[in-house]
Amino acid sequence: MVKNSDIKNHSDSFSTPKELKLESIDANGQEEENNVKMTPDFIPMIRIIFWNSMGFFFFSFLIPYVTIQLLGVSKTELGIAFSIQTIGGLLSAPIVGYLTDRVSRKILILIGSFGRAACYILMYIGILLSSLLLFIAGMFVLGFFVGFFWTPLDTLISEKSNKVNRSFAFGKRAGMIGKGNFVGSVISFLIFWLVNSFIPENLFLVYCPLLIFAASNIFGGIVFHLKVDENLTFDKHVFNLFPSSVEPSIVSKEPVISEAPLKSRNNLAIGFFLGFSVLVIAFMTSNLNQMLAYPFFQVYLQEELKIIDPTLIMIIYFPSQIISLLLAPKLGKIADKINPVLGVAFVSGLGAFVTWLIINTTSGYLFGLLLLFDSTFAWGGNLILQNILSRISKIHRGKVFGAAQWLSLFGAVLGPIIGGFAYDNIAPFAPFAISIFIELSVIPLYAIAIKALKPYMTEKIH
């Protein structure tokens, strides 16, 4: 005889065929959703980066070359010149972070594109007039307007990509920088080499790539503004494809009041504040570290490794600025699959080791190869951290990116000044040696921040 309780227990232990079917549909829907990596306009959207990044290599090459070789400043003054660029970003970052969540991102990106164009024009005029003031004014303008470009663009990249492929999405962003950088580098290298070989006194032609890159920024900004739909998010795209797999509230136009349950708001205020504070401090320290030695790579090649030919310096410097960016989409795929704490520890540890190898090499070409590895590890870590930032909040992404950028820029202001002072007053290898210790010190900071923030992220890390 079968008891009623046995029937009840049996029904509690096994799902009905209908329930099994529903679970299967939900599982298949989730799997299909995860296979969608980004919105249809994601790739057209990031093509603006190609046009805006064409001058990156030539710009980074010119700053130490012009200030040291043409204008005859000291290493400390070179560091100050780099810092002035970052001070411009410090002033604009809070404004842009606030505006990104409230006004059209396309307008902000257009402003950023025009600002970069103005920077190149000012630098060009400063070189022709041998004016350090105008040259540095151009760098300040770049720093001020660069946030108008990257903060809203990073927010759009986050909104238009699947959270499980977020590092890959930012890798595509870096890859597009690499493509634009490559084309711009070829153009600038050919012009710089040919003119210096035949008519080196003609500064108008030697530095005319700056005008080309100013035009490319204006063109890219206008095309972006005309073609990108900033209202098409990944959640809306998935809702259109799989309506049953997405909550209707995701695509609602009504404002979201809170991203956390009421019962957790008190804990959220403490835990979130602690984790986010440590994270942005780690960002600040990382940028201080990156800018300690970066401004002095070319000077080190010239004065310590005795490589005087500027064209040869460009060849040595080129791979680290291009190849690591072209590898970024592959790095992003790897970053999406690994534990972020272990990933940061791995790339930071290898980066410190490579920096130690750099200051112990006597070959310019080996210096360039090691610089490539160092840049690749730096980009790998950057992709992991951008992924973390993008998951913290959906409705406040602009503020999150803006706050992180502001403190990281603060570190980038201090880095060149400390590095220049160390180069002039301690030893040429001093900025690199200090960088090693700082790079290792940020590992525990990132570990603490990521673990503290994990429970409060609106897009969870598995």
Side-chain angles (χ1 to χ4, degrees):
M1 182 176 181
V2 180
K3 298 179 181 178
N4 288 337
S5 60
D6 292 336
I7 295 174
K8 185 177 185 301
N9 290 338
H10 180 78
S11 64
D12 287 342
S13 304
F14 298 92
S15 300
T16 64
K18 183 179 179 180
E19 289 170 332
L20 285 172
K21 184 177 180 181
L22 288 173
E23 290 175 3
S24 176
I25 291 172
D26 289 343
N28 290 335
Q30 184 64 47
E31 183 178 351
E32 289 177 341
E33 180 183 337
N34 287 341
N35 287 333
V36 181
K37 295 182 179 181
M38 53 197 65
T39 60
D41 66 338
F42 182 89
I43 297 300
M45 177 187 73
I46 64 171
R47 284 197 183 119
I48 185 180
I49 301 174
F50 174 87
W51 299 104
N52 282 77
S53 61
M54 287 182 68
F56 282 10
F57 174 75
F58 194 58
F59 173 81
S60 63
F61 168 79
L62 278 188
I63 298 172
Y65 179 76
V66 169
T67 53
I68 297 292
Q69 299 297 318
L70 295 185
L71 304 178
V73 304
S74 69
K75 314 303 181 302
T76 303
E77 289 172 318
L78 171 60
I80 293 173
F82 269 93
S83 296
I84 287 174
Q85 173 190 337
T86 312
I87 289 171
L90 274 175
L91 295 177
S92 66
I95 302 170
V96 178
Y98 178 82
L99 292 176
T100 297
D101 292 326
R102 284 170 170 76
V103 303
S104 168
R105 283 86 180 261
K106 295 200 312 185
I107 293 293
L108 296 177
I109 290 170
L110 185 65
I111 292 171
S113 298
F114 279 48
R116 190 185 296 276
C119 152
Y120 289 148
I121 293 170
L122 278 173
M123 290 179 66
Y124 182 73
I125 297 173
I127 292 171
L128 295 183
L129 299 179
S130 298
S131 170
L132 179 62
L133 181 62
L134 270 179
F135 188 81
I136 291 179
M139 295 178 65
F140 176 84
V141 168
L142 173 65
F144 185 84
F145 285 103
V146 72
F148 282 83
F149 184 85
W150 290 116
T151 298
L153 184 61
D154 286 346
T155 302
L156 286 175
I157 289 172
S158 301
E159 291 179 347
K160 290 178 177 287
S161 61
N162 193 335
K163 64 182 180 181
V164 301
N165 303 112
R166 189 63 49 72
S167 293
F168 173 74
F170 280 107
K172 297 291 286 185
R173 163 196 188 269
M176 197 61 71
I177 295 175
K179 292 177 182 178
N181 213 348
F182 175 78
V183 173
S185 298
V186 171
I187 293 172
S188 57
F189 174 81
L190 289 175
I191 293 174
F192 190 79
W193 171 61
L194 289 172
V195 177
N196 268 313
S197 298
F198 298 102
I199 42 175
E201 69 282 354
N202 192 329
L203 298 182
F204 178 86
L205 291 178
V206 172
Y207 300 103
C208 71
L210 287 171
L211 298 180
I212 297 173
F213 302 142
S216 72
N217 275 271
I218 294 172
F219 174 78
I222 293 172
V223 170
F224 181 91
H225 187 73
L226 295 176
K227 291 191 174 182
V228 173
D229 179 9
E230 62 183 325
N231 295 314
L232 177 61
T233 65
F234 179 81
D235 290 333
K236 292 179 181 178
H237 176 57
V238 171
F239 180 78
N240 292 332
L241 293 177
F242 316 108
S244 62
S245 68
V246 182
E247 291 293 331
S249 61
I250 288 178
V251 294
S252 172
K253 294 183 180 180
E254 295 298 320
V256 180
I257 301 302
S258 174
E259 293 180 330
L262 288 174
K263 64 181 181 180
S264 67
R265 286 185 185 175
N266 290 335
N267 291 334
L268 175 64
I270 299 172
F272 177 83
F273 179 78
L274 173 64
F276 189 70
S277 298
V278 176
L279 181 65
V280 293
I281 289 172
F283 260 81
M284 180 186 73
T285 308
S286 290
N287 274 266
L288 186 153
N289 170 62
Q290 289 178 14
M291 294 303 294
L292 264 170
Y294 174 77
F296 311 104
F297 287 146
Q298 291 182 45
V299 180
Y300 191 87
L301 283 169
Q302 291 172 331
E303 297 185 356
E304 302 305 311
L305 302 186
K306 306 304 179 185
I307 299 174
I308 306 301
D309 184 0
T311 304
L312 183 56
I313 291 175
M314 289 182 75
I315 293 172
I316 293 172
Y317 196 54
F318 178 81
S320 67
Q321 298 293 298
I322 307 297
I323 297 177
S324 59
L325 291 167
L326 296 176
L327 293 174
K330 300 293 184 183
L331 295 174
K333 284 185 177 180
I334 297 172
D336 281 322
K337 297 176 182 178
I338 62 176
N339 180 286
V341 175
L342 293 178
V344 170
F346 179 76
V347 296
S348 296
L350 285 178
F353 176 67
V354 169
T355 303
W356 179 81
L357 292 177
I358 285 174
I359 59 178
N360 283 280
T361 184
T362 57
S363 165
Y365 294 107
L366 183 56
F367 183 98
L369 179 62
L370 292 170
L371 208 57
L372 167 61
F373 282 109
D374 187 56
S375 179
T376 302
F377 294 139
W379 268 107
N382 191 41
L383 295 176
I384 295 172
L385 298 171
Q386 285 177 319
N387 190 341
I388 298 297
L389 281 178
S390 71
R391 290 171 178 264
I392 292 174
S393 171
K394 285 186 176 182
I395 62 174
H396 299 297
R397 276 189 174 124
K399 296 184 188 69
V400 169
F401 279 114
Q405 184 184 25
W406 191 88
L407 277 173
S408 65
L409 288 173
F410 183 73
V413 169
L414 298 176
I417 297 174
I418 296 171
F421 181 83
Y423 196 110
D424 276 334
N425 296 281
I426 301 176
F429 67 84
F432 301 91
I434 297 171
S435 173
I436 294 173
F437 292 103
I438 294 180
E439 193 159 13
L440 294 175
S441 72
V442 299
I443 296 175
L445 289 178
Y446 279 122
I448 293 169
I450 292 170
K451 288 185 177 294
L453 282 173
K454 188 175 181 180
Y456 308 108
M457 292 183 177
T458 57
E459 293 180 337
K460 300 299 182 183
I461 299 175
H462 300 291

